[in-house]
Structures are given as C-alpha cells and as structure tokens.
C-alpha cells in the first residue's frame, strides 16, 4: 500500500478523488486562501497591534529605565554615608549601666549598627542581664531588639550578644 492510497481511502480523500483535476486545483487554492486569511487575522494582525503598542510604550519604558539606573547609581553613595546615630550618648549610657549592675567586663564590645548598638559581653552572670536591661530601658529608653545568649561552661554565666536601640 502506497502512502497516497491510505489518504484516498478516507472519506474526504475519496470525495476529493472524485473531483476533476480543475476542481481539485480550485479547492486547493480556496484552502490556501482560507489558511492565508486565518494566518493574517490570527497571527499577523495581533503581532502588528503588539508592535504598535510596544512602540508607543517605549519612551515611558526608556524613562523608567533611566530613572532606575540613576537610582542604582546612587546606592553606593548612600551606603557610604554614615548615619548620624546618637552613638556616643547611647554608648556611654550602656557602659554606665554595665558598671552599675555587673561591674567591668573585660572584652566587652559596643559597635554601632545604623541607629542601634550591638553589645557583646563575653561573660556575664545570667541573673544580672535582667536588671541590666531594666536599667537601660528605664534610664535611657534603650530597648532590646535582639538577643543571642550562649551558655558558658561556668555555672550561671552566658555569652550575650545584645542589639539595643530606641
């Protein structure tokens, strides 16, 4: 069985085979015209409309891109400018509260992080932390934003990482 004979066995194939060669050519031309019209209205027209819409939106998109690039170029400059956090008064208040409640702790670090201060206490009695934090909140309006406490081998003492701010 040849490839073309299977097509001719179908109902449409039999119907088309019964037509004269001239009718077959006209039917083929009509099918091609219908296919071309379908492609025109189904593919070409929507594409042309999208191209026109995108061309009209391009100036606004270019302006938005330029604004975004300008803002992106400003980011490094913003990162380099230091905030004027009330670092010195808060630092002194923390040191006074530490001295009053716990006493001097060797290795204590107080680092500014934006408008907050990170206080690292390498070893502090656990039961002294609550009075220390109460004193800071009451006297300096400093609040605890974050705390990481790590138990130490010494009984009742911890390593404390505190993030304080107003």
């Amino acid at each position: 069985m040849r490839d073309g004979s299977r097509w001719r066995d179908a109902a449409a194939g039999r119907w088309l085979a019964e037509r004269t060669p001239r009718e077959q050519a006209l039917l083929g031309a009509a099918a091609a015209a219908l296919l071309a019209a379908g492609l025109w209205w189904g593919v070409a027209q929507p594409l042309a409309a999208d191209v026109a819409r995108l061309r009209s939106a391009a100036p606004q998109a270019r302006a938005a891109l330029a604004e975004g690039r300008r803002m992106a170029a400003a980011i490094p400059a913003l990162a380099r400018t230091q905030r004027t956090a009330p670092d010195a008064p808060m630092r002194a208040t923390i040191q006074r509260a530490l001295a009053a409640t716990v006493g001097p702790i060797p290795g204590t670090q107080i680092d500014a992080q934006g408008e907050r201060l990170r206080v690292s206490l390498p070893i502090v009695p656990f039961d002294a932390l609550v009075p220390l934090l109460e004193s800071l909140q009451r006297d300096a309006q400093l609040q605890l934003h974050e705390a990481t406490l790590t138990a130490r081998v010494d009984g009742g003492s911890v390593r404390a990482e505190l993030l304080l701010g107003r």
Side-chain angles (χ1 to χ4, degrees):
M1 188 179 336
R2 291 186 343 239
D3 290 316
S5 64
R6 196 175 326 158
W7 185 79
R8 285 189 195 116
D9 290 341
R14 281 192 312 267
W15 179 83
L16 189 59
E18 293 171 358
R19 306 289 145 229
T20 65
R22 183 167 189 232
E23 288 175 332
Q24 289 177 1
L26 287 173
L27 287 171
L34 283 174
L35 179 65
L39 287 174
W40 175 257
W41 279 296
V43 176
Q45 287 293 324
L47 282 177
D50 287 345
V51 167
R53 183 183 50 80
L54 290 173
R55 282 191 179 142
S56 68
Q60 293 90 355
R62 284 189 194 102
L65 178 63
E67 178 67 15
R69 285 183 177 160
R70 186 192 61 76
M71 291 170 74
I75 289 174
L78 292 173
R80 279 186 246 130
T81 59
Q82 297 207 355
R83 294 183 180 174
T84 57
D87 182 25
M90 285 182 8
R91 189 182 302 260
T93 303
I94 292 170
Q95 289 171 341
R96 278 194 307 273
L98 277 170
T101 57
V102 183
I105 299 175
T108 299
Q109 294 180 339
I110 302 174
D111 300 316
Q113 286 191 338
E115 296 179 1
R116 298 177 180 172
L117 290 176
R118 180 163 298 279
V119 180
S120 298
L121 306 169
I123 184 168
V124 63
F126 180 74
D127 45 344
L129 279 176
V130 174
L132 171 66
L133 294 172
E134 285 178 347
S135 168
L136 289 171
Q137 186 170 3
R138 180 185 61 245
D139 300 336
Q141 289 77 37
L142 289 174
Q143 296 174 352
L144 180 66
H145 290 275
E146 183 181 313
T148 304
L149 304 176
T150 307
R152 299 203 28 111
V153 177
D154 311 349
S157 64
V158 295
R159 172 178 173 73
E161 298 283 333
L162 309 172
L163 185 61
L164 302 168
R166 294 202 167 130

